[in-house]
Amino acid sequence: EIVMTQSPATLSVSPGERATLSCRASQSVSSDVAWYQQKPGQAPRLLIYGASTRATGFPARFSVSGSGTEFTLTISSLQSEDFAVYYCQQYNNWPRTFGQGTKVEIK
Amino acid sequence: QVQLVESGGGLVKPGGSLRLSCAASRFTFSDYFMSWIRHVPGKGLEWVSHISSSGSIKYYADSVKGRFTISRDNAKNALYLQMNSLRAEDTAVYYCARVYYAFDIWGQGTMVTVSS
């Protein structure tokens, strides 16, 4: 199975600053990666999938880059509502697999 | 808006069984693949099972293969997960999710606790 490895595990950022989250796949998954946001007590929400398709409700400060095995989620200017856990996930191969998550916390 | 609502979770003893249901509304259920995903408390997300729009193709994680069965009833807009031979490590919040490339719509989840 394809292992998705996220780093760092925790990212401490001040509001208004940029956050950069990384996700590495153990083998190429082309651009078939999705990112999810999960807040405490809530279900995950699809944030972005594919090369750059943002889900409904998420603003342009969220962007992604990468293909193959290296992927990056960037939040350009963190807002209070962005503090959450972010997961990457590949949908190129079975079984579908998730990274272990990056918690973005207030510095 | 588009909605998925899970039910059927609860406390069950090791070796026991449970059937989860997921009710879909406000979209054409029969057009979409569906999946079950679980979240172990304090840990990450694990994809559990997937079913095609017609129900003819099914996939399972190795950790549940032979114990869990996914099914759907398109006439009732419902997705199911029959869980047998439950183990402590199956304890998690179980989500149903609509598949459109990724998991684009999630339910609120139902908690399954396997404990004696």
Side-chain angles (χ1 to χ4, degrees), chain A residues 34 36 38 43-44 89 94-96, chain B residues 39 47 50 59 95 102-103 106-107:
Chain A
Y36 302 86
Q38 187 175 31
Q89 176 245 329
W94 298 100
R96 305 308 197 217
Chain B
H39 190 184
W47 168 81
H50 167 99
Y59 297 112
Y95 298 99
F103 305 117
W106 297 60

Side-chain angles (χ1 to χ4, degrees), chain A residues 11-94:
Chain A
L11 189 60
S12 298
V13 185
S14 299
E17 290 187 340
R18 173 187 296 260
T20 303
L21 290 67
S22 296
C23 177
R24 173 178 293 176
S26 59
Q27 65 188 71
S28 178
V29 293
S30 185
S31 294
D32 298 336
V33 168
W35 292 84
Y36 302 86
Q37 179 192 70
Q38 187 175 31
K39 297 181 179 179
Q42 297 183 17
R45 284 180 65 195
L46 176 64
L47 170 56
I48 288 178
Y49 66 96
S52 61
T53 304
R54 273 193 315 278
T56 304
F58 285 100
R61 64 177 180 271
F62 292 92
S63 64
V64 295
S65 62
S67 67
T69 61
E70 300 285 343
F71 302 87
T72 301
L73 170 68
T74 300
I75 312 171
S76 60
S77 176
L78 271 157
Q79 305 299 303
S80 58
E81 62 267 28
D82 301 335
F83 292 96
V85 178
Y86 293 84
Y87 295 94
C88 63
Q89 176 245 329
Q90 64 82 18
Y91 53 92
N92 185 264
N93 273 283
W94 298 100

Side-chain angles (χ1 to χ4, degrees), chain B residues 11-57:
Chain B
L11 174 63
V12 60
K13 289 182 168 54
S17 298
L18 217 50
R19 188 197 197 203
L20 305 184
S21 298
C22 171
S25 59
R26 301 187 186 90
F27 68 97
T28 306
F29 180 71
S30 59
D31 284 350
Y32 289 88
F33 296 170
M34 297 292 295
S35 274
W36 287 97
I37 298 148
R38 64 188 181 186
H39 190 184
V40 175
K43 296 191 176 180
L45 298 165
E46 179 186 19
W47 168 81
V48 172
S49 184
H50 167 99
I51 189 167
S52 64
S53 53
S54 67
S56 61
I57 298 172

